[in-house]
Amino acid sequence: LGVFTGFFYKPPPTTRLFRDAGMILVTGGAGFIGSNFVLDWLAASHEPVVNLDALTYAGNLRNLDSLQGDARHVFVRGNIGDRALLDSLLAQHRPRAIVHFAAESHVDRSIHGPGEFMQTNVQGTFTLLEATRAYWATLTPDERGTFRFHHVSTDEVYGSLAAGAPAFTETHPYEPNSPYSASKAASDHLVRAWHHTYGLPVVTTNCSNNYGPYHFPEKLIPLMIVNALAGKPLPVYGDGRQIRDWLYVKDHCSGIRAVLARGRVGETYNTGGWNEQANIDIVHSVCALLDELRTDPAGPYGRLITHVADRPGHDRRYAIDARKIERELGWRPAETFQSGIRKTVQWYLDHADWVADVQSGS
């Protein structure tokens, strides 16, 4: 592995070979969605990945354990706000595409400390765009034509939907309601502007709530699983009737691959699971699966559900209209919620060591 530590980056000896074959640069590739994308990419393709991640609390190299010794995976510890590092990586590896996952993403954390969200999601994306623009200018005309900057964003930029309102389309106005969603909305606007002003060939995907393996256990589904197994309360905000569209993470990854390969430059594609459910119903589904798969002698896990004060500015409903990506690119999620949530619960039951390491901070 090529590893960046301190002020010096030493490229791996295989860089020249890979340069001739093509490669992609992934930011945030040790996080939840990013690591799933890297694993799935290398399982389906021989094309190497340069994986840049700052390894903050949600970035975890254990997610990538199966890639140890795989020369196609080049991990670099570093920040997207480090322009010198970005310039060095782009010049050395000359990727044909950048897939930009790196972001602060937890709404509660953004409420209590919005500064880091502005720094990473806004300033970091700006720095990455500027480094990419400078690199793109060095490419041959053919390389410039095939290069892509894929920005991965969220449905939360659209704000909140009323009950019965049509789902978010790609032309829905932006109405972010939290520091997190405002910072992601800003990054979306930057990406759009760099395309229209400078011609940078970009695509953007706005996804619904993801769930699946390697999800940091502060988000709803993994938190419910981990707390239930520990016999701790299962905290549910307010009445629990907040509605989200849930997308299995590996389906999201396949959608990103489809957009990267066939999406139209400058376009946005909403990527959703066609599965609207209230938070409280999600919690009951998790409890029912745990009752089946890991019975608690103390009684049904639903006994642990505890309603707590609602989050400030909590959006009531999100829903993704994903017809555009299906119509243009032929993509639909492969998993139903029933199949995806079962796989997710079983994964956490099978990976108690991963959970313990994450919770301990090791």
Side-chain angles (χ1 to χ4, degrees), residues 10 32 94 96 104 181 205 239 299:
K10 182 178 180 180
F32 165 45
R94 301 188 64 80
R96 68 167 184 87
E104 295 284 348
S181 57
T205 47
D239 62 4

Side-chain angles (χ1 to χ4, degrees), residues 168-206:
F168 298 131
T169 66
E170 290 79 1
T171 59
H172 194 281
Y174 275 38
E175 297 177 329
N177 292 318
S178 71
Y180 161 60
S181 57
S183 69
K184 288 298 289 185
S187 69
D188 290 8
H189 291 319
L190 289 172
V191 171
R192 174 185 170 85
W194 260 242
H195 169 63
H196 285 278
T197 302
Y198 303 113
L200 192 67
V202 306
V203 286
T204 296
T205 47
N206 293 82

